[in-house]
Amino acid sequence: MSILKASRADARPVWMERPGPLVQAGKAVAIAAIVVVMLYPFFYVILMSFASPEAATSGTFWPSSFSIQAYVSILTGGVVTRALLVSAGVTLVGTVLSMAFTTTLAYGLTRTKDVPFAKPILVMVLCTMLFGAGIIPNYLLVRQLGLLDSYWSLILPGLISAFNMIVVRNFFMGLPSELIEAAKLDGASEFQIFIRIVLPLSKAVLAVIALFYAVGYWNSFFNAMIYLNDAAKWPIQLVLNQYVVQGSTLSSVQPPGVPAPPGETIQKAVIVISTIPILLVYPFAQKYFTKGMLTGAVKG
């Protein structure tokens, strides 16, 4: 009886046992189905963006003939190319400024003994995660600051994310305090410690947070829709909204004598162009996700 009890105590839980062939086959089928469901819209959009005008209206998944007329139309019209440059500039400048302000604020809030009112400031930052002013007060503030119809209205309202700042702060607090104390004994200032010790040791979390900011700036269109009246300053996502949601056409930018591509082909081509930059950047930062987020989110 005692041997039976010991064997039951040493037995592994059911969920830790190796599944049988049927269970593994079921998991493989389920994963394959999920992959197909996730990839189908992606491939459909790409195929339809290259479809010829005749194939685009046939209603088939695989077009019988292909053409780059949609890409030529949107890239030669000037609207999409200008919007791409606007989005690229806003994303680059916004990400750099957000990272600079987020990291400096996070490091300052780790020095609770040296920075006055560090804890009340931290509480104030945390309150912004729970309470928001709303659209109308934000619009009135942006207008009062003279930022309407300015690119800064796309950057400054979301310059610091409280969640990202907390993740970076927790990562900084997990760094060895002995390194900072040794640097202070060697006469290093707080700025030197921050630049030469803290930031180089935080590449993983900084890469993740930088990608979060970049994706946020690139995909943002609501602020542009509210604060920008000049269509020449629209980012790519607002142009995408006009083509896909509003159903705008490119007939006004077509060369004389050349028919405009179908609206569905134009929509798919704009979606592909607006998605490619993020798809190119994401693989380079993917390896930092697990290390950066787990270390920054869990202290100890």
Side-chain angles (χ1 to χ4, degrees):
M1 188 67 179
S2 59
I3 297 177
L4 180 59
K5 291 182 178 180
S7 61
R8 289 181 177 177
D10 296 337
R12 300 173 61 184
V14 177
W15 58 84
M16 296 182 64
E17 295 293 338
R18 182 177 179 84
L22 292 179
V23 176
Q24 291 182 346
K27 290 181 178 179
V29 172
I31 293 175
I34 293 174
V35 170
V36 170
V37 171
M38 297 296 294
L39 293 182
Y40 170 77
F42 183 74
F43 283 112
Y44 176 76
V45 168
I46 295 179
L47 290 175
M48 292 305 298
S49 68
F50 285 101
S52 63
E54 298 79 11
T57 57
S58 63
T60 59
F61 170 74
W62 190 275
S64 57
S65 57
F66 296 91
S67 172
I68 60 172
Q69 184 179 353
Y71 290 94
V72 173
S73 298
I74 61 180
L75 293 179
T76 57
V79 177
V80 176
T81 52
R82 182 173 60 247
L84 285 172
L85 294 176
V86 170
S87 292
V90 170
T91 300
L92 179 61
V93 175
T95 301
V96 171
L97 292 179
S98 293
M99 290 300 298
F101 282 89
T102 299
T103 53
T104 51
L105 177 61
Y107 180 71
L109 294 180
T110 61
R111 319 302 297 171
T112 54
K113 296 181 179 179
D114 303 327
V115 178
F117 308 108
K119 291 185 177 180
I121 294 175
L122 178 60
V123 173
M124 182 179 65
V125 172
L126 293 176
C127 288
T128 62
M129 299 178 63
L130 305 176
F131 306 100
I135 298 176
I136 295 178
N138 286 334
Y139 178 84
L140 295 177
L141 176 61
V142 170
R143 187 182 66 176
Q144 188 69 24
L145 295 176
L147 299 178
L148 290 181
D149 244 1
S150 171
Y151 293 129
W152 292 112
S153 63
L154 308 180
I155 298 175
L156 296 182
L159 191 62
I160 298 179
S161 168
F163 173 79
N164 293 342
M165 193 280 298
I166 295 300
V167 172
V168 176
R169 176 180 177 271
N170 288 346
F171 191 97
F172 288 168
M173 294 182 66
L175 296 176
S177 58
E178 293 80 5
L179 291 176
I180 298 177
E181 296 299 331
K184 287 184 177 181
L185 293 177
D186 291 338
S189 63
E190 290 289 351
F191 182 76
Q192 291 175 330
I193 294 173
F194 176 68
I195 296 296
R196 298 183 179 182
I197 297 178
V198 175
L199 292 184
L201 293 176
S202 308
K203 292 180 180 179
V205 70
L206 295 182
V208 174
I209 299 303
L211 183 61
F212 284 172
Y213 276 124
V215 172
Y217 281 116
W218 183 266
N219 290 334
S220 176
F221 78 94
F222 189 71
N223 285 350
M225 186 170 57
I226 295 177
Y227 303 135
L228 297 183
N229 298 318
D230 187 0
K233 297 180 179 180
W234 283 359
I236 185 61
Q237 299 301 332
L238 190 53
V239 173
L240 177 63
N241 176 73
Q242 291 295 315
Y243 288 147
V244 177
V245 179
Q246 305 299 331
S248 301
T249 62
L250 289 175
S251 57
S252 60
V253 300
Q254 281 298 109
V258 179
E264 184 179 359
T265 306
I266 292 293
Q267 294 173 2
K268 302 302 187 295
V270 177
I271 292 174
V272 172
I273 290 179
S274 62
T275 308
I276 285 177
I278 295 300
L279 293 180
L280 294 178
V281 173
Y282 181 80
F284 296 99
Q286 184 181 10
K287 62 181 180 180
Y288 296 106
F289 263 66
T290 302
K291 181 180 178 182
M293 290 305 297
L294 290 181
T295 310
V298 181
K299 181 184 175 184

mmCIF file of all heavy atoms in Angstrom, residues 70-110:
data_model
loop_
_atom_site.group_PDB
_atom_site.id
_atom_site.type_symbol
_atom_site.label_atom_id
_atom_site.label_comp_id
_atom_site.label_asym_id
_atom_site.label_seq_id
_atom_site.Cartn_x
_atom_site.Cartn_y
_atom_site.Cartn_z
ATOM 1 N N ALA A 70 -2.125 48.991 -60.675
ATOM 2 C CA ALA A 70 -2.585 49.635 -59.441
ATOM 3 C C ALA A 70 -1.426 50.316 -58.720
ATOM 4 O O ALA A 70 -1.560 51.450 -58.240
ATOM 5 C CB ALA A 70 -3.240 48.602 -58.533
ATOM 6 N N TYR A 71 -0.278 49.650 -58.631
ATOM 7 C CA TYR A 71 0.889 50.241 -57.961
ATOM 8 C C TYR A 71 1.416 51.432 -58.743
ATOM 9 O O TYR A 71 1.838 52.430 -58.154
ATOM 10 C CB TYR A 71 1.974 49.184 -57.779
ATOM 11 C CG TYR A 71 1.627 48.128 -56.760
ATOM 12 C CD1 TYR A 71 1.044 46.929 -57.138
ATOM 13 C CD2 TYR A 71 1.863 48.344 -55.405
ATOM 14 C CE1 TYR A 71 0.715 45.962 -56.204
ATOM 15 C CE2 TYR A 71 1.547 47.386 -54.462
ATOM 16 C CZ TYR A 71 0.968 46.198 -54.859
ATOM 17 O OH TYR A 71 0.636 45.245 -53.931
ATOM 18 N N VAL A 72 1.423 51.324 -60.062
ATOM 19 C CA VAL A 72 1.872 52.457 -60.876
ATOM 20 C C VAL A 72 0.956 53.654 -60.667
ATOM 21 O O VAL A 72 1.416 54.802 -60.549
ATOM 22 C CB VAL A 72 1.914 52.055 -62.367
ATOM 23 C CG1 VAL A 72 2.209 53.275 -63.237
ATOM 24 C CG2 VAL A 72 2.957 50.983 -62.601
ATOM 25 N N SER A 73 -0.328 53.417 -60.576
ATOM 26 C CA SER A 73 -1.288 54.505 -60.414
ATOM 27 C C SER A 73 -1.116 55.224 -59.083
ATOM 28 O O SER A 73 -1.068 56.463 -59.035
ATOM 29 C CB SER A 73 -2.712 53.956 -60.540
ATOM 30 O OG SER A 73 -2.929 53.392 -61.808
ATOM 31 N N ILE A 74 -0.997 54.467 -58.002
ATOM 32 C CA ILE A 74 -0.931 55.114 -56.688
ATOM 33 C C ILE A 74 0.443 55.719 -56.416
ATOM 34 O O ILE A 74 0.557 56.685 -55.670
ATOM 35 C CB ILE A 74 -1.310 54.130 -55.561
ATOM 36 C CG1 ILE A 74 -0.337 52.952 -55.527
ATOM 37 C CG2 ILE A 74 -2.724 53.660 -55.729
ATOM 38 C CD1 ILE A 74 -0.642 51.957 -54.448
ATOM 39 N N LEU A 75 1.493 55.185 -57.020
ATOM 40 C CA LEU A 75 2.830 55.716 -56.781
ATOM 41 C C LEU A 75 3.159 56.896 -57.676
ATOM 42 O O LEU A 75 4.016 57.718 -57.331
ATOM 43 C CB LEU A 75 3.880 54.617 -56.965
ATOM 44 C CG LEU A 75 3.847 53.493 -55.933
ATOM 45 C CD1 LEU A 75 4.917 52.447 -56.236
ATOM 46 C CD2 LEU A 75 4.047 54.034 -54.520
ATOM 47 N N THR A 76 2.523 56.990 -58.833
ATOM 48 C CA THR A 76 2.747 58.136 -59.722
ATOM 49 C C THR A 76 1.793 59.287 -59.448
ATOM 50 O O THR A 76 2.014 60.398 -59.920
ATOM 51 C CB THR A 76 2.597 57.705 -61.189
ATOM 52 O OG1 THR A 76 1.302 57.133 -61.394
ATOM 53 C CG2 THR A 76 3.676 56.710 -61.571
ATOM 54 N N GLY A 77 0.734 59.024 -58.690
ATOM 55 C CA GLY A 77 -0.212 60.086 -58.390
ATOM 56 C C GLY A 77 0.312 61.116 -57.418
ATOM 57 O O GLY A 77 -0.138 62.253 -57.407
ATOM 58 N N GLY A 78 1.256 60.737 -56.555
ATOM 59 C CA GLY A 78 1.838 61.662 -55.602
ATOM 60 C C GLY A 78 1.194 61.636 -54.237
ATOM 61 O O GLY A 78 1.828 61.995 -53.243
ATOM 62 N N VAL A 79 -0.057 61.208 -54.137
ATOM 63 C CA VAL A 79 -0.759 61.215 -52.853
ATOM 64 C C VAL A 79 -0.173 60.176 -51.909
ATOM 65 O O VAL A 79 0.163 60.467 -50.750
ATOM 66 C CB VAL A 79 -2.266 60.968 -53.072
ATOM 67 C CG1 VAL A 79 -2.988 60.902 -51.731
ATOM 68 C CG2 VAL A 79 -2.862 62.043 -53.951
ATOM 69 N N VAL A 80 -0.020 58.955 -52.386
ATOM 70 C CA VAL A 80 0.469 57.868 -51.541
ATOM 71 C C VAL A 80 1.947 58.050 -51.220
ATOM 72 O O VAL A 80 2.376 57.823 -50.082
ATOM 73 C CB VAL A 80 0.216 56.513 -52.223
ATOM 74 C CG1 VAL A 80 0.813 55.379 -51.400
ATOM 75 C CG2 VAL A 80 -1.278 56.288 -52.402
ATOM 76 N N THR A 81 2.743 58.451 -52.209
ATOM 77 C CA THR A 81 4.179 58.634 -51.951
ATOM 78 C C THR A 81 4.422 59.737 -50.928
ATOM 79 O O THR A 81 5.272 59.603 -50.047
ATOM 80 C CB THR A 81 4.907 58.967 -53.257
ATOM 81 O OG1 THR A 81 4.258 60.073 -53.905
ATOM 82 C CG2 THR A 81 4.888 57.771 -54.201
ATOM 83 N N ARG A 82 3.676 60.838 -51.036
ATOM 84 C CA ARG A 82 3.815 61.904 -50.046
ATOM 85 C C ARG A 82 3.364 61.436 -48.672
ATOM 86 O O ARG A 82 4.001 61.746 -47.647
ATOM 87 C CB ARG A 82 3.009 63.126 -50.484
ATOM 88 C CG ARG A 82 3.135 64.311 -49.536
ATOM 89 C CD ARG A 82 2.456 65.554 -50.083
ATOM 90 N NE ARG A 82 1.029 65.330 -50.301
ATOM 91 C CZ ARG A 82 0.453 65.319 -51.493
ATOM 92 N NH1 ARG A 82 1.185 65.494 -52.581
ATOM 93 N NH2 ARG A 82 -0.851 65.118 -51.605
ATOM 94 N N ALA A 83 2.277 60.658 -48.625
ATOM 95 C CA ALA A 83 1.798 60.139 -47.341
ATOM 96 C C ALA A 83 2.808 59.171 -46.725
ATOM 97 O O ALA A 83 2.983 59.142 -45.496
ATOM 98 C CB ALA A 83 0.451 59.453 -47.527
ATOM 99 N N LEU A 84 3.474 58.377 -47.555
ATOM 100 C CA LEU A 84 4.506 57.472 -47.038
ATOM 101 C C LEU A 84 5.653 58.256 -46.417
ATOM 102 O O LEU A 84 6.179 57.886 -45.349
ATOM 103 C CB LEU A 84 5.023 56.577 -48.153
ATOM 104 C CG LEU A 84 4.111 55.435 -48.600
ATOM 105 C CD1 LEU A 84 4.672 54.758 -49.847
ATOM 106 C CD2 LEU A 84 3.935 54.411 -47.487
ATOM 107 N N LEU A 85 6.073 59.338 -47.064
ATOM 108 C CA LEU A 85 7.145 60.162 -46.509
ATOM 109 C C LEU A 85 6.720 60.818 -45.201
ATOM 110 O O LEU A 85 7.506 60.904 -44.251
ATOM 111 C CB LEU A 85 7.569 61.222 -47.522
ATOM 112 C CG LEU A 85 8.235 60.706 -48.810
ATOM 113 C CD1 LEU A 85 8.525 61.859 -49.758
ATOM 114 C CD2 LEU A 85 9.523 59.954 -48.475
ATOM 115 N N VAL A 86 5.463 61.259 -45.142
ATOM 116 C CA VAL A 86 4.953 61.866 -43.902
ATOM 117 C C VAL A 86 4.954 60.845 -42.778
ATOM 118 O O VAL A 86 5.427 61.118 -41.659
ATOM 119 C CB VAL A 86 3.542 62.442 -44.129
ATOM 120 C CG1 VAL A 86 2.925 62.854 -42.795
ATOM 121 C CG2 VAL A 86 3.598 63.631 -45.071
ATOM 122 N N SER A 87 4.447 59.649 -43.048
ATOM 123 C CA SER A 87 4.413 58.612 -42.014
ATOM 124 C C SER A 87 5.811 58.202 -41.586
ATOM 125 O O SER A 87 6.063 57.984 -40.390
ATOM 126 C CB SER A 87 3.639 57.390 -42.525
ATOM 127 O OG SER A 87 2.277 57.683 -42.689
ATOM 128 N N ALA A 88 6.719 58.095 -42.551
ATOM 129 C CA ALA A 88 8.094 57.719 -42.207
ATOM 130 C C ALA A 88 8.741 58.788 -41.334
ATOM 131 O O ALA A 88 9.413 58.472 -40.336
ATOM 132 C CB ALA A 88 8.906 57.500 -43.483
ATOM 133 N N GLY A 89 8.546 60.059 -41.676
ATOM 134 C CA GLY A 89 9.122 61.128 -40.861
ATOM 135 C C GLY A 89 8.527 61.189 -39.473
ATOM 136 O O GLY A 89 9.253 61.325 -38.473
ATOM 137 N N VAL A 90 7.198 61.093 -39.379
ATOM 138 C CA VAL A 90 6.541 61.123 -38.067
ATOM 139 C C VAL A 90 6.966 59.926 -37.221
ATOM 140 O O VAL A 90 7.229 60.062 -36.013
ATOM 141 C CB VAL A 90 5.012 61.160 -38.249
ATOM 142 C CG1 VAL A 90 4.309 60.945 -36.911
ATOM 143 C CG2 VAL A 90 4.574 62.473 -38.864
ATOM 144 N N THR A 91 7.060 58.761 -37.852
ATOM 145 C CA THR A 91 7.460 57.561 -37.107
ATOM 146 C C THR A 91 8.888 57.673 -36.613
ATOM 147 O O THR A 91 9.186 57.332 -35.454
ATOM 148 C CB THR A 91 7.314 56.325 -38.007
ATOM 149 O OG1 THR A 91 5.945 56.197 -38.417
ATOM 150 C CG2 THR A 91 7.731 55.060 -37.264
ATOM 151 N N LEU A 92 9.792 58.140 -37.455
ATOM 152 C CA LEU A 92 11.200 58.256 -37.061
ATOM 153 C C LEU A 92 11.384 59.284 -35.954
ATOM 154 O O LEU A 92 11.974 58.985 -34.903
ATOM 155 C CB LEU A 92 12.047 58.622 -38.282
ATOM 156 C CG LEU A 92 13.547 58.802 -38.037
ATOM 157 C CD1 LEU A 92 14.167 57.510 -37.507
ATOM 158 C CD2 LEU A 92 14.255 59.255 -39.306
ATOM 159 N N VAL A 93 10.873 60.491 -36.176
ATOM 160 C CA VAL A 93 11.035 61.548 -35.169
ATOM 161 C C VAL A 93 10.279 61.196 -33.892
ATOM 162 O O VAL A 93 10.808 61.371 -32.773
ATOM 163 C CB VAL A 93 10.556 62.898 -35.734
ATOM 164 C CG1 VAL A 93 10.614 63.986 -34.661
ATOM 165 C CG2 VAL A 93 11.399 63.302 -36.936
ATOM 166 N N GLY A 94 9.071 60.707 -34.025
ATOM 167 C CA GLY A 94 8.283 60.368 -32.844
ATOM 168 C C GLY A 94 8.908 59.257 -32.025
ATOM 169 O O GLY A 94 8.922 59.322 -30.787
ATOM 170 N N THR A 95 9.432 58.227 -32.694
ATOM 171 C CA THR A 95 10.047 57.119 -31.960
ATOM 172 C C THR A 95 11.294 57.577 -31.226
ATOM 173 O O THR A 95 11.518 57.213 -30.061
ATOM 174 C CB THR A 95 10.395 55.979 -32.931
ATOM 175 O OG1 THR A 95 9.206 55.542 -33.596
ATOM 176 C CG2 THR A 95 11.016 54.808 -32.189
ATOM 177 N N VAL A 96 12.120 58.381 -31.874
ATOM 178 C CA VAL A 96 13.346 58.875 -31.225
ATOM 179 C C VAL A 96 12.999 59.731 -30.010
ATOM 180 O O VAL A 96 13.573 59.559 -28.915
ATOM 181 C CB VAL A 96 14.195 59.672 -32.229
ATOM 182 C CG1 VAL A 96 15.356 60.366 -31.515
ATOM 183 C CG2 VAL A 96 14.728 58.749 -33.314
ATOM 184 N N LEU A 97 12.061 60.660 -30.168
ATOM 185 C CA LEU A 97 11.686 61.524 -29.040
ATOM 186 C C LEU A 97 11.004 60.729 -27.934
ATOM 187 O O LEU A 97 11.272 60.960 -26.742
ATOM 188 C CB LEU A 97 10.762 62.640 -29.531
ATOM 189 C CG LEU A 97 11.384 63.687 -30.451
ATOM 190 C CD1 LEU A 97 10.353 64.720 -30.868
ATOM 191 C CD2 LEU A 97 12.566 64.384 -29.779
ATOM 192 N N SER A 98 10.139 59.809 -28.297
ATOM 193 C CA SER A 98 9.463 59.006 -27.275
ATOM 194 C C SER A 98 10.453 58.159 -26.493
ATOM 195 O O SER A 98 10.349 58.044 -25.262
ATOM 196 C CB SER A 98 8.403 58.112 -27.937
ATOM 197 O OG SER A 98 7.358 58.878 -28.471
ATOM 198 N N MET A 99 11.409 57.567 -27.183
ATOM 199 C CA MET A 99 12.410 56.767 -26.485
ATOM 200 C C MET A 99 13.267 57.637 -25.572
ATOM 201 O O MET A 99 13.610 57.239 -24.446
ATOM 202 C CB MET A 99 13.284 56.032 -27.490
ATOM 203 C CG MET A 99 12.573 54.925 -28.234
ATOM 204 S SD MET A 99 11.940 53.638 -27.143
ATOM 205 C CE MET A 99 13.469 53.032 -26.420
ATOM 206 N N ALA A 100 13.622 58.825 -26.039
ATOM 207 C CA ALA A 100 14.446 59.713 -25.214
ATOM 208 C C ALA A 100 13.716 60.126 -23.942
ATOM 209 O O ALA A 100 14.265 60.043 -22.829
ATOM 210 C CB ALA A 100 14.848 60.945 -26.029
ATOM 211 N N PHE A 101 12.465 60.538 -24.075
ATOM 212 C CA PHE A 101 11.713 60.989 -22.906
ATOM 213 C C PHE A 101 11.298 59.817 -22.016
ATOM 214 O O PHE A 101 11.281 59.941 -20.785
ATOM 215 C CB PHE A 101 10.479 61.775 -23.351
ATOM 216 C CG PHE A 101 10.779 63.183 -23.767
ATOM 217 C CD1 PHE A 101 11.106 63.485 -25.078
ATOM 218 C CD2 PHE A 101 10.742 64.210 -22.846
ATOM 219 C CE1 PHE A 101 11.389 64.775 -25.470
ATOM 220 C CE2 PHE A 101 11.026 65.519 -23.216
ATOM 221 C CZ PHE A 101 11.353 65.801 -24.542
ATOM 222 N N THR A 102 10.974 58.690 -22.609
ATOM 223 C CA THR A 102 10.557 57.538 -21.810
ATOM 224 C C THR A 102 11.711 56.995 -20.982
ATOM 225 O O THR A 102 11.554 56.706 -19.788
ATOM 226 C CB THR A 102 10.001 56.435 -22.722
ATOM 227 O OG1 THR A 102 8.857 56.939 -23.436
ATOM 228 C CG2 THR A 102 9.571 55.216 -21.908
ATOM 229 N N THR A 103 12.870 56.836 -21.592
ATOM 230 C CA THR A 103 14.019 56.284 -20.859
ATOM 231 C C THR A 103 14.513 57.239 -19.779
ATOM 232 O O THR A 103 14.857 56.799 -18.677
ATOM 233 C CB THR A 103 15.152 55.968 -21.837
ATOM 234 O OG1 THR A 103 15.449 57.125 -22.645
ATOM 235 C CG2 THR A 103 14.781 54.808 -22.744
ATOM 236 N N THR A 104 14.555 58.531 -20.074
ATOM 237 C CA THR A 104 15.014 59.474 -19.044
ATOM 238 C C THR A 104 14.037 59.555 -17.877
ATOM 239 O O THR A 104 14.448 59.610 -16.712
ATOM 240 C CB THR A 104 15.210 60.872 -19.658
ATOM 241 O OG1 THR A 104 14.028 61.250 -20.385
ATOM 242 C CG2 THR A 104 16.393 60.877 -20.612
ATOM 243 N N LEU A 105 12.729 59.547 -18.185
ATOM 244 C CA LEU A 105 11.745 59.559 -17.103
ATOM 245 C C LEU A 105 11.809 58.269 -16.300
ATOM 246 O O LEU A 105 11.750 58.292 -15.061
ATOM 247 C CB LEU A 105 10.345 59.752 -17.684
ATOM 248 C CG LEU A 105 9.188 59.710 -16.684
ATOM 249 C CD1 LEU A 105 9.324 60.808 -15.643
ATOM 250 C CD2 LEU A 105 7.838 59.816 -17.408
ATOM 251 N N ALA A 106 11.943 57.138 -16.979
ATOM 252 C CA ALA A 106 12.011 55.856 -16.275
ATOM 253 C C ALA A 106 13.245 55.792 -15.383
ATOM 254 O O ALA A 106 13.162 55.322 -14.235
ATOM 255 C CB ALA A 106 12.036 54.708 -17.287
ATOM 256 N N TYR A 107 14.381 56.265 -15.884
ATOM 257 C CA TYR A 107 15.597 56.230 -15.054
ATOM 258 C C TYR A 107 15.478 57.189 -13.876
ATOM 259 O O TYR A 107 15.906 56.869 -12.757
ATOM 260 C CB TYR A 107 16.813 56.587 -15.906
ATOM 261 C CG TYR A 107 18.105 56.565 -15.125
ATOM 262 C CD1 TYR A 107 18.652 55.362 -14.688
ATOM 263 C CD2 TYR A 107 18.763 57.747 -14.799
ATOM 264 C CE1 TYR A 107 19.830 55.332 -13.960
ATOM 265 C CE2 TYR A 107 19.935 57.737 -14.067
ATOM 266 C CZ TYR A 107 20.469 56.517 -13.646
ATOM 267 O OH TYR A 107 21.627 56.490 -12.920
ATOM 268 N N GLY A 108 14.891 58.352 -14.105
ATOM 269 C CA GLY A 108 14.721 59.289 -13.005
ATOM 270 C C GLY A 108 13.818 58.742 -11.910
ATOM 271 O O GLY A 108 14.064 58.970 -10.714
ATOM 272 N N LEU A 109 12.787 57.993 -12.300
ATOM 273 C CA LEU A 109 11.867 57.437 -11.302
ATOM 274 C C LEU A 109 12.451 56.227 -10.579
ATOM 275 O O LEU A 109 11.861 55.763 -9.596
ATOM 276 C CB LEU A 109 10.546 57.054 -11.962
ATOM 277 C CG LEU A 109 9.725 58.229 -12.503
ATOM 278 C CD1 LEU A 109 8.440 57.741 -13.135
ATOM 279 C CD2 LEU A 109 9.429 59.235 -11.396
ATOM 280 N N THR A 110 13.573 55.692 -11.056
ATOM 281 C CA THR A 110 14.263 54.642 -10.303
ATOM 282 C C THR A 110 15.135 55.227 -9.200
ATOM 283 O O THR A 110 15.480 54.496 -8.264
ATOM 284 C CB THR A 110 15.127 53.790 -11.229
ATOM 285 O OG1 THR A 110 16.127 54.616 -11.858
ATOM 286 C CG2 THR A 110 14.282 53.124 -12.305
#
